[in-house]
Amino acid sequence: RKHAKNLFWGEGVIMNPSVMGAEVDASMANFARRIGDLSLQSEANKSRVVQLGGVEFLVNLVRKALDDAVLEGAAIALSNLSLSESGRQVVAEHGAIQELVRALRSPVGDGPLAAIAGALRNLACGSEERLQILEHGGVEELVSLCKQDKDVSIQENAAAAIANLADETRCRERVASCGGLEALCNLCNTSQADAVLACAAAALGNLADDDENRVVIAKVGGLEPLIRLCASSVNDAVLESSAAAIANLAYNEANRKRIAQLTGIEPLVWLCVHSKNEAVLESAAAALGNLAYYNDLNRIRVADTGGLQALLLLCDTTSNEAVLESAVGALRHVLYNNDGNRNKLVKLNGLELLLRLCSSSDSEAVLESCTAILRKAVSNSEIAQRLLENGAMQIMTKIEQEWSGTVRSYASQTLKALEKNSRRTWTPPSGQTSSPRLAYMMLPCSHPSSMTPAIRKAMISRRSTSNEIEEGANMADGANLKSLNSEMDNVHRDLTAFEDFLKSRQACEIDADRCIEACDAFIVLQNAGPIKAIKEFFGSDEVDIFVLVYSGHATEEGALCFAEHLITFEQVLGMWQQARAKNSNTEARLLLFLDCPRSGKWVKALEGVPMAAAFASGMMVQASCGAMQDSWSSPEEGGNFTRWFTSQQEHGKSPWTIEVGEVKPAGQASLPHEEQLPCMSCKFDLFSSRRAIMCVGGEEDVPNISLFGESWFTS
């Protein structure tokens, strides 16, 4: 987010602060100004002013409001004193905010209004001071100034103050509720002053950090003037603020579409090519990346208008780290799941550029974006070969050794894919000309703190062998919060473990472009929502095996828990059947793996589907526990079922053939839990349709599941 710069008033004249006690009736206004000038010279001077009672003196002048000149001088001095954090605190502690807001309601001239708005602008850079401005009604007064046909300095400072206030959630809400969004959009539409336009656009951009505000800004016509400013302004401050505002507004899906329809992509590409200002370049690149996020048409449009070349050029030429992070992050979104754009990247020698950045950059954000692009691209054997020829193995190995977290994970995944392409030995079964394509989607539950109250109340967490989490856990309870955070770590461990298991299926080719991996899943679900994300995941004719893996909390009815949605078996079945009706690949299969409480209800639900419809669906459900059972997890190890299941695979055994008390190979996990009995149902065809229930001491009706020539879940 971009904030307006602080306001400076004059260069100042050093004077002896001891004269503050003198009789200065006729010169009071000039005297107040000179105190402000003095405070600009150094922190030592500012401290001396405070020690000699200068702040109380200035606040009293504002309170008494002897005349406009005195009020203006005092407000200017308070503004200058508020340029530092310590100065803001002292000014606020002496009651200046309340008096400044009160003065805004008085019948004063344009000079004092501009100075007061400037003082509030600087004070609004502090978190505590923002709340005081809100408490004393300052938000409403500043919005009122933006609505009036006032002097340029007044509108500039009022808009800048709102931009700074917008860093606080409650201030954003108050600005929206009193008509501030409409007033700022009107300023962007009507003002001829660059200073006003820059501050108004900055305010809209900061206010667009709120989901509802993004919708309202577009609804009241805020997109059009911002796009026009990007296309027509020659002022760098205006260009930076308007491009940054578009970047924030593009977090909304409908806004992304509308901005493209209004030809908002083209001026951003132009700025990336022609601007010499680093702040403008950073904002324009960020806007292009956000517009391309989860929007196939915008990805194509960015590339077709020269955006791919522009972003590559930025990555190749900039020495500014923030610009580089923004540009390579935008490339990541423009290339995601788009073969055409990826082919253009290859032709433009973009692979070699990304590898150079991986070798030379120390920025975690740059490395994360570069490795994210490469791990998706490497699924193409020709691209993999080109990467191998350019030393990608050594580069990825170095990153894997030196970095941790997401960067290391992406580098490791790229390495595995490169190794697979460098020694591919899979032989397809008889009658099959190519390996089946597998795509997986990791579905982590949402953290309870982000859930709606209704979902949080209905949530049942997995049971832990250490700390128990109460149903409807209270976020304010420290013990509960610690346990919930630990459980969310376990969720990520489960999904990562299952991801590694799926990648080990030698007979399948992983469709990396279609996969939603554990390290990406949280942000995908946050931005797209689970329903849309699942629908898009199912929408491919080229995938033979779709796998959904869920870990975490559930409800008593077995519904999966996300921030604003509960997902049921019926919903997934409906989305899958709709996708199969549209797709030409009628042999595609869907596998569901659920490590959550009451997951056995999904098995029962599939069993309850009428026979013809069930076989037509081509689904299998593997549940971690029975319909009325809990699922268990262990500290720092993840879900008991996931750990046990993947261990069985690793040691070449079917999960359904081990019996309690059986001697296990070294390192092999034990059964999930004596109170947790996994079960599954498979409806691929009449012959493979079986149901198996793990029982203590044995099993019944063990399935023999074969897909595309490879036996699944058996050695």
Side-chain angles (χ1 to χ4, degrees), residues 234-253:
V234 294
N235 181 278
D236 285 336
V238 175
L239 292 172
E240 176 195 356
S241 295
S242 54
I246 290 174
N248 286 354
L249 288 163
Y251 275 101
N252 176 274
E253 179 185 0

Side-chain angles (χ1 to χ4, degrees), residues 111-434:
L113 285 178
I116 294 169
L120 291 174
R121 170 182 182 169
N122 290 351
L123 285 162
C125 291
S127 56
E128 293 298 323
E129 291 74 28
R130 283 193 285 268
L131 294 176
Q132 286 193 41
I133 293 172
L134 175 69
E135 178 186 349
H136 293 298
V139 171
E140 290 85 348
E141 297 304 321
L142 291 166
V143 168
S144 177
L145 292 179
C146 289
K147 291 179 179 179
Q148 300 173 36
D149 185 16
K150 291 289 187 180
D151 180 79
V152 167
S153 296
I154 297 174
Q155 293 180 332
E156 174 195 350
N157 286 341
I162 293 173
N164 291 338
L165 286 166
D167 202 40
E168 163 63 41
T169 301
R170 283 170 286 181
C171 290
R172 291 197 296 272
E173 294 171 351
R174 185 71 61 84
V175 170
S177 67
C178 64
L181 301 178
E182 294 86 342
L184 292 164
C185 290
N186 185 58
L187 283 180
C188 288
N189 250 326
T190 60
S191 180
Q192 301 298 313
D194 285 337
V196 175
L197 292 171
C199 292
L204 286 175
N206 293 347
L207 289 162
D209 196 41
D210 179 273
D211 290 335
E212 292 184 8
N213 285 352
R214 293 185 194 115
V215 175
V216 175
I217 290 170
K219 187 176 180 180
V220 300
L223 298 178
E224 291 84 347
L226 291 170
I227 293 171
R228 187 175 65 253
L229 291 175
C230 281
S232 61
S233 179
V234 294
N235 181 278
D236 285 336
V238 175
L239 292 172
E240 176 195 356
S241 295
S242 54
I246 290 174
N248 286 354
L249 288 163
Y251 275 101
N252 176 274
E253 179 185 0
N255 286 353
R256 290 197 289 273
K257 295 178 181 178
R258 182 61 180 155
I259 291 167
Q261 291 169 354
L262 294 168
T263 65
I265 290 176
E266 289 80 352
L268 294 167
V269 172
W270 192 94
L271 289 176
C272 286
V273 175
H274 297 284
S275 178
K276 305 300 180 185
N277 183 281
E278 291 174 340
V280 174
L281 292 171
E282 179 188 353
S283 295
L288 287 176
N290 290 350
L291 286 166
Y293 184 76
Y294 246 82
N295 190 301
D296 292 332
L297 292 177
N298 284 1
R299 293 185 191 121
I300 295 170
R301 189 158 185 170
V302 169
D304 288 347
T305 55
L308 200 55
Q309 294 94 320
L311 292 169
L312 286 170
L313 182 64
L314 271 184
C315 291
D316 195 29
T317 59
T318 185
S319 58
N320 182 283
E321 188 172 277
V323 175
L324 179 59
E325 290 176 354
S326 189
V328 75
L331 272 179
R332 177 180 180 179
H333 295 313
V334 172
L335 295 168
Y336 183 81
N337 205 22
N338 190 295
D339 291 334
N341 287 355
R342 194 173 294 127
N343 291 335
K344 290 181 180 179
L345 175 81
V346 174
K347 292 178 182 178
L348 293 166
N349 296 319
L351 293 176
E352 290 78 2
L353 172 60
L354 292 171
L355 288 175
R356 285 205 308 273
L357 292 175
C358 285
S359 298
S360 61
S361 179
D362 293 325
S363 164
E364 183 175 2
V366 170
L367 290 174
E368 180 178 327
S369 293
C370 287
T371 52
I373 294 170
L374 293 173
R375 76 191 171 99
K376 291 291 185 181
V378 78
S379 61
N380 180 296
S381 57
E382 294 181 4
I383 292 178
Q385 188 58 40
R386 186 160 174 172
L387 290 170
L388 287 166
E389 293 170 357
N390 283 276
M393 291 283 283
Q394 296 88 336
I395 295 171
M396 292 299 113
T397 299
K398 187 172 184 290
I399 292 175
E400 186 183 42
Q401 292 171 347
E402 296 180 355
W403 288 83
S404 60
T406 303
V407 173
R408 181 181 182 183
S409 175
Y410 286 173
S412 299
Q413 293 167 33
T414 306
L415 269 175
K416 289 179 182 178
L418 287 169
E419 291 168 354
K420 183 178 179 181
N421 276 279
S422 64
R423 58 176 201 282
R424 203 176 186 99
T425 59
W426 183 81
T427 302
S430 176
Q432 202 169 317
T433 58
S434 63

Side-chain angles (χ1 to χ4, degrees), residues 533-551:
I534 293 172
K535 285 182 177 178
E536 292 195 2
F537 173 67
F538 287 160
S540 173
D541 289 329
E542 300 178 355
V543 174
D544 302 303
I545 306 172
F546 292 86
V547 182
L548 286 181
V549 182
Y550 177 84
S551 174

